[in-house]
Amino acid sequence: GNSVTQMEGPVTLSEEAFLTINCTYTATGYPSLFWYVQYPGEGLQLLLKATKADDKGSNKGFEATYRKETTSFHLEKGSVQVSDSAVYFCALGTSGGSYIPTFGRGTSLIVHP
Amino acid sequence: GAGVSQSPRYKVAKRGQDVALRCDPISGHVSLFWYQQALGQGPEFLTYFQNEAQLDKSGLPSDRFFAERPEGSVSTLKIQRTQQEDSAVYLCASSLARDRGETQYFGPGTRLLVL
């Protein structure tokens, strides 16, 4: 079946540090890949996505590249801010007979001033 | 425009009680998903609707869980004879169409506590 594995948190960084949150997946077919973010007290919202191999999704300074050869979709940001503190979820969706979106367990990011 | 809304936001139930959780998706969204999210975990798929048709209910943990979307808009997740292990946040999400690349829009969730 499909699965998503994220690095465990919490990830604690100082403001302006470089961020990487690793995400790898296993899937049948050709999945689309997503990063969702959940800010404190809010619902999940899409951060970025990529629908085919080698695509790069980007938003709010965050980037992730769909790497089919390494089955990865790592999230990066060059300079984090305190306001980026949240829980980040990697997810995939596949086409085919059974469409079941699959989420990772989430990685908590804490950014200190 | 309005996003996905869920009610109630919090629900405390005694073990054995029945509960009903409501989801109002974004108007015009064809697809609707229910998820269960335990503390410190990611959302786990429960069931999926395309319009009023329940196309997949493979994630429902037992026959005590039942979901419906009779007119293809509002959906209700019902849990009968609640157990303590049902305590979790129940998330609803909708999307414009059923497509692997389609963005899901999530509601704020209903936090269920079974005592």
Side-chain angles (χ1 to χ4, degrees), chain A residues 1-5 23-28 33 71 90-92 102-104:
Chain A
N2 299 335
S3 68
V4 173
T5 302
C23 171
T24 57
Y25 67 90
T26 57
T28 55
L33 301 173
T71 62
C90 185
L92 68 84
T102 305
F103 286 77

Side-chain angles (χ1 to χ4, degrees), chain B residues 2-113:
Chain B
V4 178
S5 61
Q6 293 186 245
S7 61
R9 291 291 309 275
Y10 302 92
K11 176 70 179 177
V12 179
K14 292 183 180 178
R15 189 159 53 96
Q17 263 187 317
D18 297 349
V19 299
L21 313 179
R22 177 186 169 107
C23 173
D24 283 83
I26 293 173
S27 177
H29 277 195
V30 168
S31 298
L32 186 144
F33 302 83
W34 282 100
Y35 296 89
Q36 182 187 61
Q37 186 177 20
L39 190 64
Q41 302 294 318
E44 292 285 339
F45 172 84
L46 293 177
T47 187
Y48 162 71
F49 290 86
Q50 188 170 353
N51 295 308
E52 69 279 3
Q54 188 175 21
L55 298 187
D56 194 320
K57 53 181 181 179
S58 62
L60 295 176
S62 77
D63 58 8
R64 296 185 295 104
F65 287 71
F66 171 78
E68 60 183 3
R69 194 186 183 197
E71 297 178 359
S73 55
V74 171
S75 178
T76 303
L77 176 68
K78 297 178 179 178
I79 309 173
Q80 297 176 325
R81 305 181 303 281
T82 52
Q83 304 294 316
Q84 287 184 325
E85 62 262 28
D86 300 334
S87 296
V89 176
Y90 290 86
L91 299 173
C92 174
S94 69
S95 65
L96 195 55
R98 178 185 178 176
D99 181 89
R100 66 186 182 89
E102 201 65 41
T103 299
Q104 294 186 53
Y105 296 84
F106 282 83
T110 294
R111 187 177 298 275
L112 173 65
L113 176 62

